[in-house]
Amino acid sequence: MTKGTQDLEMLRHSTTHIMADAVMQLFPNVKLGIGPAIENGFYYDFDMEHVLKPEDLPKIEAKMKEIIKKNLKFEKREMDRKEAIQFFKEKGQTYKVELLKKLDDANVTIYQHGDFVDLCKGPHVNFSKKIKAFKLLSIAGAYWLGSEKNKMLQRIYGTAFPTKEELEKYLNNLEEAHKRDHRRLGKELDLFSIHEECGAGFVYWHPKGAMLRSIIEEFLKKENLKRGYEFVAIPHIAKIDLFQTSGHTGYYKENMYFMEIDKQDYVIKPMNCPGHITIFKRKLISYRDLPIRYFEFGTVYRYEKSGVLHGLLRVRGFTQDDAHIFCRPDQLMDEIHKVIEFVDFVMKKFGYEYKVILALRPEKFVGSPESWDHAEEILEEVLKKNKIDYEPEPGGGVFYGPKIDIKLKDALGRLWQGPTIQVDFNLPERFDLTYTGEDGKKHRPVMIHRAILGSLERFIGGLIEHYGGNFPLWLAPTQVAILPLADRHNEYANNVAEELQKQDFRVTIDTRSEKIGNKIRNAEVEKIPYMLIIGDKEMEAKKVSVRKHGKGDLGQKSVKEITASFVKEL
RNA sequence: GCCGAUGUAGCUCAGCUGGUAGAGCAACUCAUUCGUAAUGAGUAGGUCACCGGUUCGACUCCGGUCAUCGGCUCCA
């Protein structure tokens, strides 16, 4: 940690103490939860009768300013832990008592400013006047100690900076981030919608969004083919038996949709693996056939709690670029290596930075601990061999195997779960998958689940924010807008459009009887990468005027010249 | 699922303490044929999320449901 971030943390931590002080002064019977500094600010959790409303925030801010003005000293005190328990008990701060009881230390520190005392490691700023720029941002509910089983407390989020200018800048950035929100851009650019009357968490792709999706699908199909994957396709509904065999009805039940057909139990697939396995099992497999790599854009449906749905990033029906690799144990490492290379290739294509996480055995798991250890070792070895930086995450694996998760960083630095590579020793066992070895005996293959994008919905949601809706030429649903100045230019404009379409460019032509300024504005708002403006001068010169989105006029060019430059840009 | 907020025209939003609704943009029609981010005029568009209650009368008050938003928990 650098000196700067340490100072910032100290400032924010001190600000949250002031906020807690203000809340306690304004409302009766406030019990304090915890109040740490976080990445972009701070929060404090409160348990109190008064239900916080947005209107309360300015009042709390005003009280905070009053407190700060007094320029109170932050004083540190050491206390015997038992003494501290007694101290907070007397104050009725039961949450602090609970925290103290969990600590092992003989001594604890408490910080005080004015009449406000809090259990706290510190450090803090020395005087309250050091706090110069802060803002309370939002109110939220949060479970005590982050557990669903505990009481829900009221949390106030805020942020603080050393100077007013830095605070302003942060708030502006927040606003900019809001403008890039894929839900907002999805509406503005007419890409997709989700409808109350059709069901929460189910996405309707409009022509432009579906085009974007299809471009990504085509790209991925080609790249999967190049790498020896074969396409398969499976039904969305299956008898429950299939998922009983796989174990999903046991471990994944709360996320599955069940239905009845002809008095028999069926499910809507929450995962594609059992389907791909069924195809693998259709015949005897020789060791010479392996590895077998089955790929599909597989749509799955999973029940997600109503409160967690979020635009395209968390939905109830989504399509994974899913593949299952069946291989011999001796091929495992090489296959994982190839998948990692594939991931790297695709992420570079989209300009994503990413972070690699090695997710290890969770509490709920199937299979033996030994097979888990073995799989975890192999993943770790591949990462080390390829000198890939990764973060281990104990307990982060799915129930059927450890995985390498790749989190994508968008332009705002937020991380999204994207590609995932999972080793599975369990399903081959459950489905009794075998291949015939060189020795003529049956052997057990190993399975790898992998998705490069993860889910198309989530990936595209992230992509919209990553580019802020300004898609590169190869992804833009509409690449070129042709804008004739007046009706007499329409014929020539149509010819240009046809010529571009013949070369597979996605073109729109605006023949409305509007002024050119209006047409340009329209195309700019739609974030179409190129505009071709056609008037008398262009017709005469047999050229078009090129205008680039966000950049402006590039001057006259012939159609040949622009298609050549487009091809280069792709 | 939990805590809180919100739900008015395709979109963005007005509508004080109860008397069934407006604006801008978009759409449509007409005029205009224009040189690099909004031409003008007109027309049409709403069971005020849904269900129930209170009331002579509900967009407005009360209850429930659904959905969205900010979080928590959980996850691709």
Side-chain angles (χ1 to χ4, degrees):
Chain A
M1 199 187 281
T2 65
K3 179 82 169 53
T5 61
Q6 250 173 20
D7 286 351
L8 199 56
E9 219 181 280
M10 194 163 85
L11 175 73
R12 287 168 175 172
H13 197 172
S14 303
T15 313
T16 203
H17 273 218
I18 300 280
M19 175 171 79
D21 186 7
V23 169
M24 289 182 88
Q25 288 189 39
L26 288 168
F27 307 105
N29 301 325
V30 177
K31 285 186 191 175
L32 299 173
I34 56 165
I38 51 173
E39 199 185 345
N40 289 312
F42 59 82
Y43 67 77
Y44 217 116
D45 289 343
F46 306 101
D47 184 6
M48 59 179 167
E49 265 167 56
H50 174 80
V51 176
L52 287 166
K53 295 197 184 72
E55 306 91 85
D56 291 328
L57 294 183
K59 286 182 209 159
I60 298 167
E61 281 179 352
K63 182 58 92 178
M64 286 170 72
K65 278 178 190 153
E66 226 175 86
I67 296 165
I68 290 166
K69 239 189 190 164
K70 289 184 190 156
N71 204 18
L72 301 168
K73 190 172 194 305
F74 277 87
E75 283 176 289
K76 179 180 173 178
R77 243 194 296 165
E78 286 223 351
M79 219 184 244
D80 177 72
R81 190 167 64 95
K82 291 212 173 105
E83 193 189 328
I85 290 175
Q86 193 53 35
F87 179 77
F88 283 104
K89 217 178 226 168
E90 276 164 25
K91 287 187 163 288
Q93 292 296 340
T94 51
Y95 295 99
K96 296 295 175 189
V97 172
E98 196 180 328
L99 288 175
L100 277 163
K101 282 187 177 161
K102 280 190 190 153
L103 291 173
D104 300 325
D105 324 32
N107 285 307
V108 296
T109 57
I110 61 169
Y111 273 81
Q112 175 157 15
H113 69 264
D115 294 331
F116 179 86
V117 199
D118 197 0
L119 169 69
C120 180
K121 266 196 209 136
H124 281 279
V125 297
N126 46 8
F127 287 98
S128 62
K129 270 204 177 164
K130 287 267 165 76
I131 298 165
K132 294 192 165 71
F134 70 92
K135 181 152 183 67
L136 303 187
L137 298 171
S138 61
I139 299 162
Y143 297 110
W144 167 240
L145 298 179
S147 168
E148 250 181 314
K149 292 179 186 108
N150 291 338
K151 184 170 182 186
M152 183 157 271
L153 310 180
Q154 302 190 66
R155 175 175 294 180
I156 301 177
Y157 282 96
T159 194
F161 284 89
T163 63
K164 287 220 164 70
E165 290 70 34
E166 282 165 279
L167 176 66
E168 280 305 311
K169 199 179 150 202
Y170 174 75
L171 294 175
N172 280 337
N173 281 347
L174 261 190
E175 205 152 309
E176 286 304 307
H178 188 63
K179 281 183 195 156
R180 297 167 78 98
D181 189 309
H182 75 280
R183 290 166 298 186
R184 180 175 173 153
L185 284 170
K187 207 180 255 180
E188 284 173 8
L189 301 179
D190 196 19
L191 300 174
F192 66 91
S193 53
I194 297 169
H195 301 266
E196 186 174 345
E197 65 274 26
C198 307
F202 296 111
V203 181
Y204 290 76
W205 293 92
H206 306 347
K208 284 177 191 159
M211 177 54 76
L212 178 60
R213 192 181 149 118
S214 151
I215 293 160
I216 293 167
E217 282 178 0
E218 287 310 312
F219 164 70
L220 247 100
K221 273 189 194 167
K222 232 169 65 192
E223 296 303 329
N224 273 283
L225 273 182
K226 274 189 204 166
R227 288 168 177 78
Y229 289 82
E230 298 174 282
F231 296 165
V232 291
I234 59 169
H236 289 201
I237 296 173
K239 271 195 188 170
I240 196 166
D241 309 49
L242 183 64
F243 287 87
Q244 265 160 358
T245 307
S246 68
H248 286 97
T249 49
Y251 287 87
Y252 210 67
K253 197 177 168 193
E254 58 269 30
N255 289 292
M256 290 169 64
Y257 298 106
F258 297 87
M259 63 197 292
E260 209 186 273
I261 302 174
D262 288 342
K263 290 187 182 151
Q264 299 210 32
D265 292 325
Y266 279 75
V267 300
I268 304 177
K269 65 172 163 142
M271 292 194 188
N272 302 305
C273 22
H276 291 186
I277 287 170
T278 302
I279 295 171
F280 177 89
K281 270 195 86 166
R282 75 192 181 282
K283 61 174 187 181
L284 287 177
I285 301 287
S286 152
Y287 72 96
R288 296 168 196 275
D289 299 327
L290 300 176
I292 286 175
R293 309 181 188 92
Y294 288 155
F295 170 81
E296 179 186 10
F297 282 106
T299 304
V300 294
Y301 297 88
R302 300 180 185 174
Y303 173 75
E304 298 288 349
K305 289 178 179 176
S306 60
V308 305
L309 300 172
H310 184 98
L312 292 178
L313 301 177
R314 190 81 183 270
V315 293
R316 284 180 174 162
F318 56 96
T319 302
Q320 298 175 306
D321 63 321
D322 207 1
H324 294 93
I325 300 168
F326 303 87
C327 65
R328 305 191 304 259
D330 64 288
Q331 294 170 321
L332 186 58
M333 208 170 303
D334 189 39
E335 285 303 309
I336 290 172
H337 177 69
K338 281 179 182 160
V339 172
I340 285 179
E341 275 181 343
F342 193 0
V343 168
D344 189 58
F345 168 80
V346 172
M347 291 308 120
K348 285 205 170 110
K349 177 81 181 174
F350 289 100
Y352 267 116
E353 280 179 53
Y354 62 84
K355 189 175 167 184
V356 179
I357 306 237
L358 179 59
L360 305 169
R361 188 163 63 210
E363 272 176 45
K364 261 190 184 181
F365 67 96
V366 290
S368 69
E370 295 76 46
S371 64
W372 272 83
D373 290 343
H374 181 45
E376 287 174 358
E377 268 168 38
I378 285 179
L379 287 179
E380 203 160 358
E381 209 177 318
V382 176
L383 288 174
K384 280 189 177 146
K385 252 192 184 165
N386 289 287
K387 298 199 171 84
I388 292 166
D389 279 331
Y390 67 94
E391 244 175 58
E393 190 185 309
V398 257
F399 69 84
Y400 51 81
K403 57 178 180 172
I404 293 172
D405 269 344
I406 290 168
K407 309 251 181 193
L408 305 182
K409 209 178 204 178
D410 70 9
L412 301 161
R414 291 178 300 197
L415 294 174
W416 305 106
Q417 167 70 59
T420 169
I421 306 164
Q422 307 172 356
V423 176
D424 191 342
F425 290 107
N426 170 57
L427 283 181
E429 197 78 37
R430 293 189 76 107
F431 280 93
D432 192 25
L433 300 185
T434 57
Y435 64 90
T436 312
E438 218 171 344
D439 55 6
K441 291 183 186 148
K442 299 275 189 208
H443 295 267
R444 185 77 74 210
V446 182
M447 243 179 103
I448 302 166
H449 307 248
R450 59 109 275 216
I452 305 287
L453 305 181
S455 102
L456 277 172
E457 282 74 8
R458 177 172 288 181
F459 187 79
I460 292 173
L463 207 59
I464 291 167
E465 301 192 355
H466 177 65
Y467 291 121
N470 298 304
F471 297 110
L473 194 62
W474 77 284
L475 284 173
T478 304
Q479 297 169 307
V480 186
I482 296 177
L483 313 177
L485 245 93
D487 289 351
R488 64 178 177 282
H489 308 123
N490 285 356
E491 201 190 325
Y492 178 67
N494 272 317
N495 291 341
V496 173
E498 261 174 50
E499 214 167 310
L500 287 171
Q501 275 163 341
K502 262 187 216 156
Q503 298 184 53
D504 288 335
F505 289 105
R506 300 180 290 275
V507 178
T508 176
I509 179 161
D510 187 349
T511 55
R512 294 173 308 148
S513 72
E514 288 288 349
K515 286 185 170 179
I516 195 67
N518 181 295
K519 295 184 184 186
I520 286 169
R521 182 186 149 75
N522 215 26
E524 289 282 356
V525 168
E526 284 184 44
K527 301 182 191 292
I528 297 169
Y530 286 99
M531 285 149 272
L532 304 182
I533 292 147
I534 291 167
D536 291 335
K537 290 183 237 165
E538 287 77 12
M539 267 173 77
E540 211 170 299
K542 296 215 163 78
K543 289 189 171 182
V544 295
S545 279
V546 184
R547 182 187 162 101
K548 191 169 181 168
H549 166 64
K551 293 257 159 60
D553 198 355
L554 300 182
Q556 285 193 10
K557 281 181 186 168
S558 72
V559 173
K560 232 183 201 166
E561 281 173 313
I562 44 169
T563 52
S565 79
F566 287 169
V567 168
K568 222 171 144 192
E569 194 176 329
L570 296 174

